[in-house]
């Protein structure tokens, strides 16, 4: 379950730019972020129900709990444009590869796919989760294995790798602080571990089985991330690689080498189906958590708390869609699609990291203040794990404000304004305004009442 929720081919083009150094760029955040997040959230989930809101509320305070659950929701506002930007570029290879670099095409696909997803979700359609779980095989494992196998065959035919594969290239070229920004995007690749930790109580021996599962999952995730990224770097030169269409570029180039380009659209459809299935699963999840908290604590106005006849928080999805539409238009007006994709990925990561910072602090305080509270699993060296995870998350958050060395030609101040406005405005200012504006009448149910499913 953890592997299916974390692993994806989507970040592969971003790291393929750096060839053999992509191994290092994936390993570092796995050790300092993925592992602490998995073990710490497992302890929290095995002792306290209610997810990140309850963890942070009991460990810190209710306002901080609202901030945590808000960030878990708000990151999706920028996550959907970046995810659907990948869908647009992939879909272009099914129709017309030249569309992959078209900002207008990307914007249209984002808006159409998002609003179609809102319509599906608002009807309470069953089976969406099954569609997404099948995406690991259909849109990740099969294309990933095929990409790696064909990449090896490509080299086996005597073709030279587009990226040098020598020991001198194990570390990324140092270009100052901006080089560290590369690792920030990989923090987002590993996010979501706290959602699977709720199943720790289902294990027969959580203390032994959960760490074993996490190490195995981490190994599988790293293989799924690293090998396709290397395969892409063998086939597509870094200066020709699109961050959104890089996977399809690699498939197209490899299939061309084997006179099988007719397979490119088929792989494109598989990748698109998996991405859309994942979007549908994420669409209603985080907003549902925000809704449940807001109805009992009054954090959102009643308009945003209304449910439709299917019990779905339709108004939240519609307002989120309006913001997503505005963000999607950035693709139409900013010439470089890859730059927009990168910026949205960084903003998404930074907003999510605020939640992780709160989670690590809350875990330490809960261990200290409620040492005898029953837990199905106790993370080893919890304080050290939280210290490493907190420091890594804070460093990634701050480094995200530095433009990547890959985009050195753009305006630094424009980049800073967009990232700061998106991350700090959406992640901190908006929830603060909601909290300050709350009224007693915004509490639409009591904590004892059950919100319709």
């Amino acid at each position: 379950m953890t592997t299916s929720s974390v692993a994806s081919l989507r970040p592969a083009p971003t790291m393929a730019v750096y060839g053999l150094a992509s191994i290092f760029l994936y390993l570092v955040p796995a050790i300092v972020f993925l592992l602490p997040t998995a073990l710490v959230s497992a302890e929290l989930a095995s002792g306290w129900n209610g997810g990140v809101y309850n963890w942070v509320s009991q460990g810190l305070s209710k306002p901080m709990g609202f901030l945590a659950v808000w960030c878990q929701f708000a990151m999706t506002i920028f996550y959907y444009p970046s995810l659907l930007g990948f869908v647009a570029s992939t879909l272009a290879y099914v129709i017309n590869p030249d569309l992959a670099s078209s900002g207008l095409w990307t914007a249209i696909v984002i808006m159409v796919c998002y609003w179609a997803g809102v319509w599906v979700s608002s009807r309470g359609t069953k089976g969406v989760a099954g569609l997404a779980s099948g995406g690991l095989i259909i849109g990740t494992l099969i294309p990933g294995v095929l990409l790696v196998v064909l990449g090896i065959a490509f080299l086996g035919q005597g073709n030279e790798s587009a990226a040098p594969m020598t020991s001198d290239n194990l570390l990324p070229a140092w270009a100052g602080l901006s080089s560290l920004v590369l690792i920030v995007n990989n923090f987002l690749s590993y996010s979501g571990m706290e959602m699977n930790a709720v199943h720790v109580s289902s294990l027969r021996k959580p203390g032994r089985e959960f760490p074993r599962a996490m190490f195995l999952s981490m190994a599988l995730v790293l293989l799924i991330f690293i090998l396709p990224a290397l395969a892409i770097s063998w086939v597509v030169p870094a200066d020709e690689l699109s961050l959104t269409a890089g996977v399809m570029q690699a498939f197209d180039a490899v299939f061309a080498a084997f006179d099988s380009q007719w397979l490119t659209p088929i792989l494109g459809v598989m990748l698109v189906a998996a991405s859309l299935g994942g979007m549908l699963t994420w669409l209603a999840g985080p907003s549902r958590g925000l809704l449940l908290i807001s109805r009992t604590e009054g954090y959102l106005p009643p308009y945003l708390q209304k449910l439709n006849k299917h019990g779905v928080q339709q108004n939240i999805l519609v307002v989120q869609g309006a913001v997503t539409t505005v963000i999607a238009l950035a693709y139409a007006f900013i010439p470089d699609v890859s730059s927009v994709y990168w910026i949205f990925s960084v903003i998404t990561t930074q907003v999510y990291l605020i939640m992780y910072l709160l989670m690590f602090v809350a875990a330490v305080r809960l261990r200290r203040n409620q040492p005898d509270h029953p837990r199905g699993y106790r993370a080893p060296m919890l304080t050290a794990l939280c210290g490493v995870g907190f420091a890594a998350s804070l460093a990634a958050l701050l480094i995200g404000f530095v433009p990547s060395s890959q985009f050195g030609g753009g305006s630094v101040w424009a980049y800073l304004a967009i990232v700061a406005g998106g991350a700090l405005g959406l992640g901190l200012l908006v929830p603060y305004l909601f909290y300050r504006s709350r009224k007693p009448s915004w509490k639409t149910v009591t904590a004892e009442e059950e919100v319709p499913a």
Side-chain angles (χ1 to χ4, degrees), residues 80-81 84-85 88 103-118 279 321-333:
Y80 296 135
L84 295 176
L104 180 60
W105 161 261
T106 303
I108 291 173
V109 171
I110 290 173
M111 290 185 284
V112 170
C113 288
Y114 180 84
W115 287 109
V118 169
M279 185 201 76
V323 178
T324 301
T325 299
V326 173
I327 294 172
L329 293 175
Y331 279 97
F333 295 105

Side-chain angles (χ1 to χ4, degrees), residues 396-441:
L397 180 68
L398 297 176
I399 291 171
F401 289 104
V402 181
S404 166
S405 55
Q406 186 175 342
F407 302 104
S411 169
V412 174
W413 292 109
Y415 175 91
L416 186 62
I418 294 172
V419 172
L424 300 181
L426 186 65
L428 296 176
L429 179 60
V430 174
Y432 172 77
L433 294 176
F434 274 126
Y435 184 79
R436 292 286 295 176
S437 303
R438 73 193 190 285
K439 301 175 183 179
S441 60

Side-chain angles (χ1 to χ4, degrees), residues 1-8 10 33 37 52 68-84 113-114 117-118 120-122 125 127-133 135-136 187-196 273-291 312-313 316-317 320-321 324 348-349 351-353 355-356:
M1 291 174 63
T2 301
T3 303
S4 64
S5 64
V6 174
S8 169
R10 193 164 65 91
F33 178 74
T37 298
V52 68
V69 78
W70 169 267
C71 288
Q72 197 175 48
F73 158 75
M75 77 92 179
T76 63
I77 294 177
F78 288 96
Y79 171 75
Y80 296 135
S82 63
L83 171 66
L84 295 176
C113 288
Y114 180 84
V118 169
V120 171
S121 297
S122 66
T125 303
V128 168
L131 174 63
S133 61
L136 175 67
F187 276 68
L188 176 63
S189 301
Y190 292 130
S191 62
M193 295 293 292
E194 75 285 353
M195 297 183 183
N196 290 309
S275 296
L276 292 180
M279 185 201 76
L280 288 175
T281 301
W282 273 86
L283 195 58
S287 59
R288 184 71 177 177
L290 180 64
L291 169 78
V312 177
Q313 58 282 10
I316 291 181
L317 296 179
Q320 182 180 6
T324 301
T348 301
T349 304
V351 172
Y352 213 175
L353 285 173
M355 184 275 292
Y356 283 113

